[in-house]
Each structure stands twice: as C-alpha cells, then as structure tokens.
Amino acid sequence: MSDAIYYFIRAVMVLCLVAGLEPEEEVTDVVCDEAKLKDGEMMEVEVGDHNVLLVRCDGVYSAISNQCTHYGAPLSKGVLSGHRVRCPWHGSCFNVKTGDLEEYPGIDCLPCHKVKVENNKVYVSVQKRIQGQPKRIKWMGARDQAVLHTVMLLGGGAASLMCAETLRQENYGGRIIMVSRDDLLPYDKTRLSKIMNAESESLLMRKIEFFHKYDIEVWLKKEALSIDTNKKTVTFDDGLIQCYDQILIATGCRAKSLDCPGVDLENVLMLETPEDARCIHYACVGCRTVVVGTSFVGMEVAAYMIDMASSITIIGSSELPYQKTLGPELGKVTMMMLEERGVRFYMNDAVAEVQGQNRRVKAVKLKSGITIEADLLIAGIGVNPNSEFLKGSPIRMDSKNYVIVDKYMRTNITDVYCAGDLTSFPLKMAKGQNVSIGHWQTAQAHGYGEGYTEMVLKGRFENMKFLALYLKDDEVVAAAGLNVEPAVSVVAERLAEGRVITKAEAESDDLSWLKLQPM
C-alpha cells in the first residue's frame, strides 16, 4: 500500500471517530456462479442477515435491497424491465443500478450493495449497520437564502410532499411553504382503513426532523379562504395574507356526508383522519354496525370490523359492490366472502333516515321501508373536492368543481399548478380524456378502467386465484388480480410503456407473457 493511500484511509478513520461514527463493517458472501443469471434476470439471495435482489442487466451484475420501501413486498416476485423493477403489490418501481425510486406509491429509495465478479463467482457485500427494512432518501439540496423565490404548496397530502421533495432533489434553493388544514404532518391515508387503531405518529410519511433538515416550512391547522392570482397572494382563515411566486393547489377531497335526517346524531361517523379511524375502532366493539357505501373505504372498514362488531350490515346504492370500478363479477365474489362471515347486504337501496334516542343512533331506515336496528353508522359514500376557496378566482374548474389541468399539471393561470385528487387531468391511457382519480397513486401505472366493455378472466374467482383483464375497444385498459403475482405488475409495466395489450393476447391460453402457469 502506498503512503498516500495509507494516510488517506487513516484520515477517513479519524473523521469517522471525530463524528462519533465507527468505520462501516461489511459482510461479503458468494451468492452464485457468474453464469447463473442471464441478461434481464433477477433472483433473491441472502447475504448475512440481509435479503438482497441480485440483477443482471447488459452483462453486469448489480444488487439492491429486495424489500419494497412501501409495504415490504419482495421485489424478486415483481417484474424486471430494462433497468427497473416493479413491485408485485402496489407498483412502486426502483432503478436496479442505483436503487432510486422511479414510481410511487413508495417514497423512499433502496440501498445499493457492492458487487464484484471474481474467478467466475459473484460476490455481494452489505453493510452490517443496516437494521430493519432498509431505506434511503434520495439526495436533496438545501435552502439558499440568496434565492428570493417562494413556492407555496396548498394541502398537506402526498402530492404536496412529493412536490416539496422533488424541488429539493432538483436543487431548488428558494422558500417552500406547505400549508395544511390538518393538525398532522403528511401521513399515509391508505392505512386508515387497514390499521384503524394506529397511533398518528406511526402513519407519518416523514418526521418533523426531515422538514427541518431540508428547510421545508410546514404550516398546520391553517386553511385557505381565497386566492388572488393577480397579486399572487393567498388569504387564510387566521387573517394572514401570504405572497407566492408559484403555487401548487393540492387540497384534495373530503368525505361526502349523508343527506338525510339524523346525520348529526352521535355515532354517525366518517373515515378521514387517524382520529376518525381510532373512533371507529373503539366504537364498533360489540355494536350493531351499519356501513353505508360499497366502494373501497366502506368494504375495507366492514372487513376490518368483522371480528369486533356484534353485527355488520352494508347498504349499497348499486346492485353489487365495486360495480363501477372492478365490475360485477368481482363485486359478487367479494359480497359472497363477506356474507360467509355473517355480513348482511341491502343493495339497490339508500338511507332515508337515521333514527336516534338520547342523541345516539338507534336504527337506520332505508328508502325501501326496511328499518335496521343499529348502534353505529359509518358513511363511505364518496367525496367532494376541496375547491370552495377557488370560487371567484379565474382558475378553471369542471362541472363537479375539480380543477382542470394539462399534462404538466398546469392550470389556465400562469404559475398556478394543481395535483392530486382535486385535478381533472388528461390521462394518456384514456387517449387524453380528462379524468379525476381519487387514488393514492394518481398515475397511469395502475390503469383506468372506467367504461370498460368486456372482461377476460384467467383462473376462478371462487378459488381465490384469478386475473381479470378489462378491455375497451379491443385493448386491455386495466387489470385486477389475487394470488397471481406478478401478473398485474406485468400488465402495469406494459401499459406504462405505452405498449398495447390486444384482445387476442388477453384471450390466449398462453400465459407466459404474464409470467403465469396455466390456471
């Protein structure tokens, strides 16, 4: 070893000690023969205590963590396309060379591991210090006080958070202000109907230290009342008037209330916040519970309460659950599954009145005349856009008060952008049709199946192993599946790449393109 290299290593060790750190320790294992993988192949390997995804692309091996940073799914069960791997559960994508996140709903990147090929053997080295599910945040710049420019983000959800992070990742040095009417930092709302007794802190997407570190201002419990696009100011409910240079409106939607007598009684609840979720969790125990609504929220809440409530009754306005989204076939199977667990359904009906005694729910009367005894009512009947404060402004909205944007999320007003549930945007997969998708991952990757005309089924619903391919104009526009990983991810990847899946492919008995065995 030369003197220069020796002193450099010593200097690094001294710096680590001064910083209170120990030099990184590594574990290195032989994971396979060099010829084990062909180009475009991947596999799961174990290195020490770490689960690693080994990939070969362009003749070169690389390794990243095998756990998706979203919910921990094994990426080895996903789909590899070029230099990126798509998660088999919810579609998050990662670059297999860098570990960088390339597609939501995950928000964190993956660590890379050192790989070397020697004597026809592949070696992977991992750091011992990594504990738990390994994640990392993509490099982000810092605030530059010399940059006199302000970006305001109205709304404290995923769209605003991702915008703030992207700005810093692109080395934007100006002021970033995120404003939320909630009393919490941005949190994962998709988990509210799955872990209803979760503490708020466990749902946060980023801790407060993150916002301090990257100089992202967060104003909580503050609501916008109006916007002046000429003066570039926003007026808030506490009287504050704040200037901006550019603004992103991402105030989302709120749960729609029942429109009938008795909705102001105690124990008439909706699911919007962690506090709502905890209230439902504790209120349903041993109670006769009525759920109104057969979309994702209503059905997930009902499934969650099965072993807690004394009885569960679901009221739906359509013939079957999920009829407009997943189709009658999947709706029928879901309905049968819940009925086997004792859940009762009243479909093609609606609530006419919530009857009470001593300010508490006593019964629910339906428009059909049926009366259901109840102690608790939970409404999940849709949403309304939070766009009232935009009325009177020149920002263009559609007939349902969703903000109309172009493919760059620009409104009709310069320097005013809109993102998330509040938007009506041109979806490429829908041939430029403007749509509003109230989904955590408002993107093309999961498809947009509204208005499909035909469904092709692989497998059987009753076997709890199936793939449903939804077609419109003889092309696949969406997919839904159960226990058929990674088939849905294969479809999502094809659609994301703009590659048409024809009716002939969908109907073919050859399932190899879906990476499935005959079912």
Side-chain angles (χ1 to χ4, degrees):
M1 179 184 298
S2 71
D3 288 346
I5 294 175
Y6 170 79
Y7 285 116
F8 174 76
I9 293 173
R10 289 287 296 171
V12 170
M13 293 181 69
V14 169
L15 287 172
C16 288
L17 292 172
V18 169
L21 302 173
E22 295 180 2
E24 299 284 7
E25 290 187 63
E26 292 183 340
V27 176
T28 302
D29 282 344
V30 177
V31 293
C32 68
D33 292 330
E34 184 179 6
K36 176 67 176 179
L37 294 182
K38 299 176 182 177
D39 268 354
E41 292 184 341
M42 61 182 178
M43 70 176 185
E44 174 186 0
V45 297
E46 297 293 330
V47 181
D49 296 328
H50 300 276
N51 191 237
V52 174
L53 182 69
L54 185 68
V55 182
R56 188 169 187 173
C57 292
D58 304 326
V60 179
Y61 276 96
S62 60
I64 59 175
S65 171
N66 190 42
Q67 290 178 283
C68 177
T69 59
H70 185 222
Y71 280 177
L75 295 176
S76 56
K77 303 293 185 183
V79 177
L80 180 63
S81 177
H83 288 176
R84 80 174 187 174
V85 61
R86 180 181 291 272
C87 172
W89 290 359
H90 302 104
S92 295
C93 294
F94 302 90
N95 187 298
V96 296
K97 297 287 188 181
T98 65
D100 286 350
L101 178 74
E102 294 189 349
E103 182 65 75
Y104 305 120
I107 62 171
D108 292 304
C109 302
L110 288 167
C112 288
H113 304 300
K114 296 178 184 177
V115 180
K116 70 175 181 178
V117 178
E118 201 171 78
N119 298 324
N120 298 320
K121 300 289 184 182
V122 179
Y123 296 80
V124 175
S125 301
V126 301
Q127 296 176 359
K128 277 187 176 181
R129 287 181 59 208
I130 299 176
Q131 296 179 345
Q133 184 179 338
K135 300 178 181 181
R136 68 175 177 83
I137 295 174
K138 194 173 182 179
W139 179 90
M140 295 171 66
R143 172 79 190 277
D144 182 348
Q145 298 294 334
V147 178
L148 303 179
H149 187 278
T150 297
V151 171
M152 183 182 294
L153 311 174
L154 286 184
S160 285
L161 177 61
M162 293 303 100
C163 182
E165 292 196 16
T166 303
L167 286 169
R168 288 291 186 243
Q169 288 165 4
E170 296 296 321
N171 211 22
Y172 169 72
R175 187 182 183 190
I176 300 176
I177 306 172
M178 183 188 299
V179 189
S180 174
R181 68 176 185 175
D182 291 335
D183 59 358
L184 287 174
L185 295 170
Y187 58 90
D188 187 349
K189 293 189 176 183
T190 65
R191 296 175 62 193
L192 293 182
S193 57
K194 302 173 181 65
I195 313 173
M196 300 186 72
N197 62 338
E199 291 298 322
S200 300
E201 186 73 15
S202 68
L203 300 174
L204 297 183
M205 300 169 71
R206 297 291 188 216
K207 308 297 185 186
I208 188 63
E209 293 80 9
F210 169 88
F211 297 96
H212 290 161
K213 180 177 181 180
Y214 297 107
D215 211 341
I216 299 168
E217 297 178 47
V218 182
W219 297 353
L220 299 177
K221 295 190 287 187
K222 192 183 292 287
E223 188 169 0
L225 296 182
S226 63
I227 180 172
D228 187 326
T229 57
N230 290 320
K231 295 180 179 179
K232 289 192 172 182
T233 60
V234 176
T235 300
F236 294 96
D237 55 354
D238 59 359
L240 175 69
I241 299 176
Q242 176 63 45
C243 298
Y244 66 84
D245 292 290
Q246 291 177 301
I247 189 168
L248 176 75
I249 300 169
T251 47
C253 297
R254 64 187 180 281
K256 187 181 294 184
S257 301
L258 288 170
D259 184 16
C260 65
V263 295
D264 57 343
L265 292 171
E266 294 180 21
N267 278 20
V268 175
L269 304 176
M270 295 187 294
L271 179 59
E272 288 193 284
T273 68
E275 183 59 31
D276 294 336
R278 287 191 292 272
C279 285
I280 293 171
H281 172 84
Y282 293 110
C284 76
V285 177
C287 287
R288 299 167 297 179
T289 303
V290 173
V291 177
V292 185
T294 54
S295 63
F296 291 101
V297 171
M299 297 294 280
E300 285 188 2
V301 169
Y304 178 89
M305 297 186 299
I306 280 178
D307 295 323
M308 302 169 67
S310 62
S311 68
I312 299 175
T313 302
I314 299 178
I315 314 299
S317 60
S318 57
E319 184 178 352
L320 292 164
Y322 301 134
Q323 190 155 324
K324 290 184 178 179
T325 51
L326 299 178
E329 297 87 355
L330 263 69
K332 185 177 180 180
V333 172
T334 307
M335 190 171 172
M336 290 173 57
M337 290 171 60
L338 290 178
E339 284 178 330
E340 289 174 359
R341 299 292 305 275
V343 177
R344 292 182 299 166
F345 283 84
Y346 290 90
M347 303 302 293
N348 289 321
D349 216 332
V351 177
E353 180 186 4
V354 184
Q355 299 174 344
Q357 184 175 16
N358 298 324
R359 296 294 303 156
R360 296 182 66 83
V361 174
K362 180 183 178 182
V364 178
K365 185 177 180 180
L366 305 183
K367 289 186 177 180
S368 62
I370 296 171
T371 298
I372 305 164
E373 293 185 347
D375 307 301
L376 173 67
L377 184 146
I378 302 164
I381 58 171
V383 296
N384 288 319
N386 291 320
S387 57
E388 289 83 357
F389 72 100
L390 298 177
K391 292 180 179 178
S393 79
I395 297 171
R396 193 157 59 98
M397 295 186 281
D398 65 13
S399 60
K400 297 181 179 179
N401 293 320
Y402 288 88
V403 177
I404 298 171
V405 297
D406 64 13
K407 64 180 180 179
Y408 301 109
M409 313 313 288
R410 297 178 299 196
T411 70
N412 61 307
I413 303 299
T414 302
D415 292 328
V416 178
Y417 298 77
C418 187
D421 294 356
L422 185 61
T423 61
S424 173
F425 68 99
L427 182 62
K428 183 179 179 181
M429 285 175 54
K431 299 180 180 178
Q433 173 191 349
N434 266 52
V435 299
S436 297
I437 304 178
H439 192 283
W440 189 253
Q441 186 188 13
T442 306
Q444 298 179 14
H446 275 179
Y448 178 70
E450 184 176 301
Y452 74 93
T453 55
E454 188 177 354
M455 187 188 76
V456 174
L457 180 66
K458 307 294 184 182
R460 298 173 65 88
F461 290 125
E462 54 268 32
N463 293 342
M464 297 296 107
K465 185 175 182 179
F466 62 84
L467 175 69
L469 297 170
Y470 300 88
L471 288 86
K472 185 175 183 179
D473 299 329
D474 292 335
E475 295 179 7
V476 172
V477 294
L482 180 64
N483 294 322
V484 287
E485 292 87 356
V488 174
S489 290
V490 172
V491 174
E493 190 64 26
R494 283 276 297 268
L495 297 178
E497 293 174 351
R499 296 163 56 202
V500 172
I501 303 173
T502 65
K503 182 178 179 179
E505 280 185 282
E507 292 180 336
S508 172
D509 291 332
D510 180 10
L511 303 182
S512 59
W513 71 277
L514 290 165
K515 300 191 177 182
L516 291 177
Q517 299 297 322
M519 292 191 290

